[in-house]
Amino acid sequence: METKLYVLNNFISTGIIDESEDRLIREASRIIAAGGLCAFPTETVYGLGGNALMKEASRHIYEAKGRPSDNPLIVHISCMGELYPLVKCVSDAARRLADAFWPGPMTLIFDKSELVPRETTGGLDTIAVRMPSHPVASRLIKYAGVPVAAPSANISGRPSTTSGSHCMEDLDGRVDAVIDAGSADIGLESTIVDLTGERPMLLRPGAVSREMIEGVLGVSVGLDAALKGPLADGIAPKAPGMKYRHYAPKAPMTLVTVAPKGEIAGGDAPRTELERIAEKIAELIREKKGQRGRMALFCSSECSDLLKAGNVPLEGIDIKISGSRDQENGLKGIAHGLFDNLREFDADSVDYIIAEGYSERELGTAVMNRLKKAAAWHIIYV
Ligand code: TXA
Ligand code: MG
């Protein structure tokens, strides 16, 4: 199949969708409405969109991604009116979260209505729904006139796609079209909150943090088992997708981070989290230095500066700066480039990756969730 590529150059440079681009979005929306597949930008990551009400379209999505069909799809809407036909009921908690964070990077789980085929929900009686804020996504869904099922637009098991070129890398020849609108703002998939049980549960951390959700609901939000560590045999995560090996670069990765207790004193002066992490990374580098294979380091600019200042032998190491720990922007820069960096490690054919960890609060929780999975839970706590 030939994949049509719609590049929205004016949007990429100005953030405004011009008339000709609007026509391209309409063309893409007709592909989706008719049962075809089109990858499109959202503010989190790119999605691989199909008509959520057509079984066949959902089947094709699984096929194109090489994704197991028991892993349900997120259904995207463009306004609240589109939610009601898809679900049994909208609880007060759901309404409050939707008011606070939609359109935006949050997905809510509801009991599904009869309208939605089980193929779309991976055989479940529940449905994940999200209203994205990206203007291209929002128009595409509105023009399609149907809810749009869209998993992340990557081949199953690879890091999610955060640009049109990532989508082409993974899906060229496998889907009808790709809309390229530049790089995705957030770079990590949406927060998933399950509201179908007694207690609200966080199934996947994202840019809408657990703290923000608790702030709106006024109750504590539970953490699904899949977020706490590798799952024991026989235990299924609530979000079926969280059980699959994900975001994993081909080379083994070791994540160095602090146990979530904050700063502890070491030696004469208290040392920061970063100093402790950098010291362990330096030790690993020295230990691995004589071994064969290409070593890679994935760290913040601050960590790399510390290593250089400590005369750690860095020559020959593939160093990718994940971003800055700078407090003002939090970890936004690191989240934004995360999947792109992980994809590059594969392209560089490295043999072993050491990655720096970050504090698990706010967006840091989402960044660390993806890093832990990329490291297949191989974590050294310092
Ligand atoms: O940011 C995002 O959420 C992106 C963009 C495209 O919107 N989409 C995305 O979809 O990340 P995907 O398919 O890669 O991840 C969906 C996750 C999976 O872990 C899946 O198991 C979970 O959502 N999920 C979907 N429906 C569910 C349900 N009914 N109950 C529990 N988990 C569900
Ligand atoms: Mg995905």
Side-chain angles (χ1 to χ4, degrees):
M1 150 190 324
E2 193 178 332
T3 300
K4 258 190 212 146
L5 177 61
Y6 301 115
V7 184
L8 309 187
N9 280 318
N10 188 60
F11 178 82
I12 293 171
S13 54
T14 66
I16 295 164
I17 300 169
D18 68 20
E19 263 177 53
S20 66
E21 293 174 335
D22 187 71
R23 274 196 297 277
L24 296 180
I25 298 172
R26 279 186 197 278
E27 200 175 308
S29 76
R30 285 193 288 272
I31 295 178
I32 290 182
L37 302 186
C38 173
F40 65 97
T42 85
E43 71 280 18
T44 57
V45 299
Y46 273 66
L48 171 53
N51 184 338
L53 303 182
M54 281 174 70
K55 299 180 202 187
E56 274 307 310
S58 294
R59 280 197 201 120
H60 286 147
I61 291 178
Y62 290 114
E63 252 168 54
K65 271 184 69 97
R67 172 170 176 149
S69 59
D70 67 345
N71 188 0
L73 307 174
I74 294 178
V75 176
H76 296 70
I77 56 175
S78 67
C79 64
M80 273 312 266
E82 294 167 7
L83 172 66
Y84 299 100
L86 304 174
V87 302
K88 282 230 168 88
C89 78
V90 179
S91 66
D92 181 50
R95 212 179 309 273
R96 277 158 53 202
L97 289 179
D99 273 353
F101 303 118
W102 275 357
M106 177 191 67
T107 295
L108 297 176
I109 311 287
F110 300 86
D111 289 316
K112 79 168 193 72
S113 72
E114 298 301 318
L115 183 68
V116 185
R118 283 232 161 67
E119 280 75 2
T120 300
T121 62
L124 299 177
D125 289 326
T126 53
I127 179 174
V129 184
R130 180 163 104 80
M131 189 193 297
S133 62
H134 195 291
V136 173
S138 174
R139 278 196 207 191
L140 180 73
I141 301 162
K142 191 165 80 175
Y143 293 162
V146 291
V148 176
S152 49
N154 52 284
I155 292 284
S156 191
R158 293 209 72 200
S160 296
T161 46
T162 56
S163 68
S165 47
H166 289 166
C167 293
M168 288 303 278
E169 204 175 284
D170 278 21
L171 299 171
D172 191 11
R174 303 170 78 100
V175 299
D176 299 288
V178 169
I179 304 178
D180 180 351
S183 89
D185 268 356
I186 296 172
L188 299 180
E189 309 87 341
S190 62
T191 306
I192 305 181
V193 186
D194 185 358
L195 296 171
T196 60
E198 297 262 291
R199 182 183 184 202
M201 295 292 287
L202 184 71
L203 306 189
R204 182 174 72 184
V208 172
S209 66
R210 185 186 188 186
E211 293 88 338
M212 289 157 78
I213 294 162
E214 290 179 339
V216 169
L217 295 181
V219 295
S220 85
V221 171
L223 276 191
D224 189 57
L227 303 180
K228 296 178 187 161
L231 287 168
D233 281 353
I235 307 245
K238 275 299 275 236
M242 300 295 271
K243 74 172 175 262
Y244 294 107
R245 189 166 182 266
H246 254 312
Y247 323 116
K250 288 175 192 142
M253 177 166 138
T254 299
L255 177 61
V256 181
T257 192
V258 287
K261 277 191 227 91
E263 294 186 10
I264 53 167
D268 296 327
R271 292 175 311 148
T272 60
E273 285 180 9
L274 176 61
E275 283 165 341
R276 283 152 56 204
I277 291 170
E279 187 174 299
K280 178 50 101 182
I281 291 178
E283 195 184 308
L284 288 176
I285 290 175
R286 292 204 167 96
E287 204 179 290
K288 299 258 171 206
K289 202 65 197 185
Q291 296 174 12
R292 285 178 51 188
R294 179 142 192 246
M295 195 171 4
L297 177 60
F298 190 35
C299 69
S300 65
S301 49
E302 290 83 356
C303 180
S304 141
D305 290 346
L306 264 185
L307 294 172
K308 281 182 197 146
N311 291 321
V312 178
L314 298 175
E315 64 288 347
I317 299 182
D318 182 0
I319 302 181
K320 291 206 196 311
I321 303 295
S322 55
S324 161
R325 284 178 163 253
D326 148 44
Q327 286 312 299
E328 208 168 301
N329 281 312
L331 295 179
K332 278 188 187 159
I334 291 174
H336 178 79
L338 185 66
F339 289 138
D340 191 45
N341 280 303
L342 290 181
R343 280 176 174 263
E344 276 187 31
F345 281 128
D346 283 353
D348 293 355
S349 303
V350 299
D351 298 291
Y352 178 71
I353 306 167
I354 302 172
E356 170 190 357
Y358 303 92
S359 293
E360 295 193 47
R361 54 185 127 81
E362 304 285 347
L363 189 58
T365 311
V367 168
M368 284 297 282
N369 169 259
R370 303 332 186 255
L371 284 175
K372 286 173 180 175
K373 291 169 86 171
W377 297 93
H378 190 254
I379 306 168
I380 299 178
Y381 288 104
V382 292

